[in-house]
Amino acid sequence: MNRKPLLEYINKYINLTIEEEDILFSKIRYRDYLKDQYIVQQGDVCNSVCFILSGCTKMFYMDKEGQEHIVIFSIEDWWTSDLGSFISQTPADYNVQCLENTQLIQFTNNTLEELYSEIPKLERLFRKIVERAFVASQKRIIRNFSLTAKERYLIFKETYPKIEQRVPQYMIASYLGITKEFLSKIKSQLIQNQ
Amino acid sequence: MNRKPLLEYINKYINLTIEEEDILFSKIRYRDYLKDQYIVQQGDVCNSVCFILSGCTKMFYMDKEGQEHIVIFSIEDWWTSDLGSFISQTPADYNVQCLENTQLIQFTNNTLEELYSEIPKLERLFRKIVERAFVASQKRIIRNFSLTAKERYLIFKETYPKIEQRVPQYMIASYLGITKEFLSKIKSQLIQNQ
DNA sequence: AAATGATGTTAAACTAGATTAACATTTATT
DNA sequence: AATAAATGTTAATCTAGTTTAACATCATTT
């Protein structure tokens, strides 16, 4: 299997020797999921974090009214998991479902613990990855408070132009925290005012 | 100075030898801030993360209209910083200001890099800290989407009972993403309906 | 004790976004 | 090609939360 995407990604943060690369790839597992399959299900304990090689997933929370709230989309060269469930080994709050056929690399709990002890540098890698994710998450909280839905939509389009094209509009509405009807209204307003 | 609070905190995640503890405390710096002083200012590059020994801070974003949006409160045994600015060494998006006289331990960029190389275990510590912070941050995004302001207020009171007592109500409103007037309304509704 | 500033409350008018419902368009299935 | 299922749009009505403004309370300074 092709090692390139993961190695290129990792090399942005740390440098591995050839031997370390071999250790890494001896422990991880490739997996293929079909469109609509679940990688994580709300209520199950999530036992892996996954690096996406191709495809697209959504992570969402289903509330008591049965409404879906999308936390994040993930595509190639990014990660997906319910990290909260993974790190504390408690039932997942979220679902992760494939929006396209998706190929990924799984790091299970055991895999990761072994890797951390054999290649301590990976501790740094994952610290840096989570740092960035945390910063993005905090930015999103503030945006949700201080910007209107229209402004948030424009930022979303700018930030994730690829995702805009690949997923249905009603899911983008869910990610933005608005209804699909209101997103429709925003889009028609944007078309008129230019 | 008293090493106990930081060591007790660290011991929840990793174990340090006596020698490692000494290295740690030889590199960090204690600081005292007065009420209302700024630890980080929007626009400056943030060059430390701080562990709070006593006191209370707010981290907030000031929008173009001059409105303050509180991202998080921090009290004893927790951290404060603009992590985004700190890790990428770019101008801070947020302010961190003391709400009480505040005593803290500063980890500067250099301090941390030295510590990581002398005590690699600390890499793991900070990975775990950021993991938890990230999970809490994602939970908050979902709560803001799927719960009403009243529900969010009740959860806030439950989760941070100490903070509720210590900071003015209008700042709690800001943290919840609502106006102080609406928080007042919520509180009077809660008093009537019981 | 009076005065000033910071914080908190109440109520009326307003608005961003939700809800409901009907219809339009695109995609998948037979 | 026809039908069904999924996705997207429009418009009317409704509501959670905002805005404005006046007033109340509490703390600090003189």
Side-chain angles (χ1 to χ4, degrees):
Chain A
M1 267 278 191
N2 185 6
R3 295 182 170 194
K4 210 175 150 196
L6 181 58
L7 286 179
E8 276 187 357
Y9 177 86
I10 289 177
N11 282 328
K12 288 188 290 184
Y13 296 98
I14 57 169
N15 297 309
L16 295 179
T17 64
I18 305 287
E19 297 76 47
E20 287 168 337
E21 289 180 1
D22 288 337
I23 297 174
L24 177 62
F25 283 95
S26 73
K27 294 198 186 284
I28 63 185
R29 185 172 163 209
Y30 287 91
R31 288 214 46 191
D32 280 294
Y33 286 89
L34 296 173
K35 183 170 190 253
D36 296 334
Q37 281 191 312
Y38 282 79
I39 298 172
V40 181
Q41 258 171 298
Q42 210 161 335
D44 292 354
V45 172
C46 169
N47 48 28
S48 64
V49 293
C50 304
F51 180 83
I52 300 178
L53 295 168
S54 67
C56 180
T57 68
K58 66 174 172 183
M59 172 168 161
F60 66 99
Y61 169 72
M62 182 79 79
D63 70 22
K64 323 104 214 162
E65 278 92 41
Q67 276 233 309
E68 213 180 284
H69 301 275
I70 295 181
V71 186
I72 198 152
F73 298 106
S74 301
I75 57 173
E76 305 81 52
D77 291 328
W78 196 238
W79 298 85
T80 192
S81 174
D82 179 343
L83 196 62
S85 168
F86 180 78
I87 65 181
S88 58
Q89 289 293 293
T90 52
D93 290 328
Y94 307 106
N95 301 279
V96 176
Q97 189 180 16
C98 298
L99 300 176
E100 305 171 359
N101 292 344
T102 297
Q103 198 186 175
L104 48 76
I105 295 176
Q106 264 186 341
F107 293 77
T108 66
N109 242 312
N110 296 339
T111 305
L112 259 184
E113 285 305 325
E114 284 174 33
L115 282 171
Y116 285 144
S117 68
E118 294 186 42
I119 316 173
K121 257 182 285 186
L122 290 178
E123 203 93 57
R124 159 165 295 218
L125 170 71
F126 282 95
R127 174 175 62 77
K128 291 190 170 182
I129 292 170
V130 183
E131 274 176 1
R132 273 166 206 280
F134 173 63
V135 169
S137 179
Q138 283 205 324
K139 241 180 206 156
R140 195 162 158 224
I141 290 174
I142 286 304
R143 278 206 294 255
N144 290 344
F145 282 155
S146 59
L147 302 181
T148 64
K150 190 190 274 185
E151 292 168 321
R152 268 143 51 206
Y153 171 60
L154 291 172
I155 289 179
F156 173 79
K157 276 177 48 146
E158 233 183 272
T159 316
Y160 304 109
K162 283 183 203 163
I163 292 176
E164 237 268 289
Q165 308 310 318
R166 276 160 80 167
V167 314
Q169 296 300 297
Y170 69 86
M171 291 190 191
I172 292 173
S174 169
Y175 175 87
L176 293 172
I178 59 178
T179 58
K180 62 188 196 312
E181 291 85 355
F182 192 56
L183 177 56
S184 246
K185 202 172 177 177
I186 288 172
K187 290 198 295 179
S188 76
Q189 274 173 19
L190 287 171
I191 289 165
Q192 277 168 2
N193 304 351
Q194 46 90 354
Chain B
M1 268 275 192
N2 185 7
R3 296 182 169 195
K4 211 176 150 196
L6 181 58
L7 286 179
E8 276 187 357
Y9 177 85
I10 290 178
N11 283 328
K12 288 188 289 183
Y13 295 100
I14 56 168
N15 297 307
L16 294 180
T17 64
I18 304 289
E19 297 75 47
E20 288 168 338
E21 289 179 3
D22 288 338
I23 296 175
L24 177 63
F25 283 94
S26 74
K27 294 197 187 283
I28 63 184
R29 184 174 164 209
Y30 287 91
R31 289 216 44 193
D32 279 294
Y33 286 90
L34 295 174
K35 183 170 191 249
D36 295 334
Q37 280 191 311
Y38 282 80
I39 299 172
V40 181
Q41 259 172 298
Q42 210 160 335
D44 291 354
V45 172
C46 169
N47 48 27
S48 64
V49 293
C50 304
F51 180 83
I52 300 178
L53 295 168
S54 67
C56 181
T57 67
K58 66 175 172 182
M59 172 170 164
F60 66 99
Y61 169 73
M62 183 79 79
D63 69 22
K64 320 105 217 164
E65 278 91 42
Q67 276 234 307
E68 210 180 286
H69 300 275
I70 295 181
V71 186
I72 197 151
F73 297 106
S74 301
I75 56 173
E76 306 81 54
D77 292 328
W78 196 236
W79 298 84
T80 192
S81 174
D82 179 343
L83 196 62
S85 168
F86 180 78
I87 64 180
S88 58
Q89 289 292 294
T90 52
D93 291 325
Y94 307 106
N95 301 280
V96 176
Q97 189 181 14
C98 297
L99 300 177
E100 305 171 359
N101 292 345
T102 298
Q103 194 185 179
L104 47 77
I105 295 177
Q106 264 187 341
F107 293 77
T108 66
N109 242 312
N110 296 338
T111 304
L112 259 185
E113 286 306 324
E114 284 173 34
L115 282 172
Y116 285 145
S117 68
E118 293 186 43
I119 316 174
K121 258 182 284 186
L122 289 178
E123 202 92 58
R124 159 165 296 217
L125 171 69
F126 282 95
R127 174 175 61 78
K128 290 189 172 184
I129 292 170
V130 183
E131 276 176 359
R132 275 167 205 280
F134 173 64
V135 168
S137 178
Q138 283 206 322
K139 240 178 208 157
R140 195 162 158 224
I141 291 175
I142 286 302
R143 279 205 293 255
N144 290 345
F145 281 156
S146 59
L147 301 181
T148 63
K150 188 190 277 185
E151 292 168 320
R152 267 144 51 206
Y153 171 61
L154 291 171
I155 289 179
F156 173 79
K157 276 176 51 144
E158 234 183 88
T159 316
Y160 304 107
K162 283 181 203 162
I163 292 176
E164 236 269 289
Q165 308 309 318
R166 277 160 78 168
V167 312
Q169 297 301 297
Y170 71 86
M171 290 190 193
I172 293 174
S174 170
Y175 175 86
L176 293 172
I178 58 178
T179 58
K180 63 188 194 313
E181 291 85 356
F182 192 54
L183 178 55
S184 245
K185 203 172 177 178
I186 287 172
K187 289 199 295 180
S188 75
Q189 275 172 20
L190 286 170
I191 289 163
Q192 279 169 1
N193 303 350
Q194 46 92 353

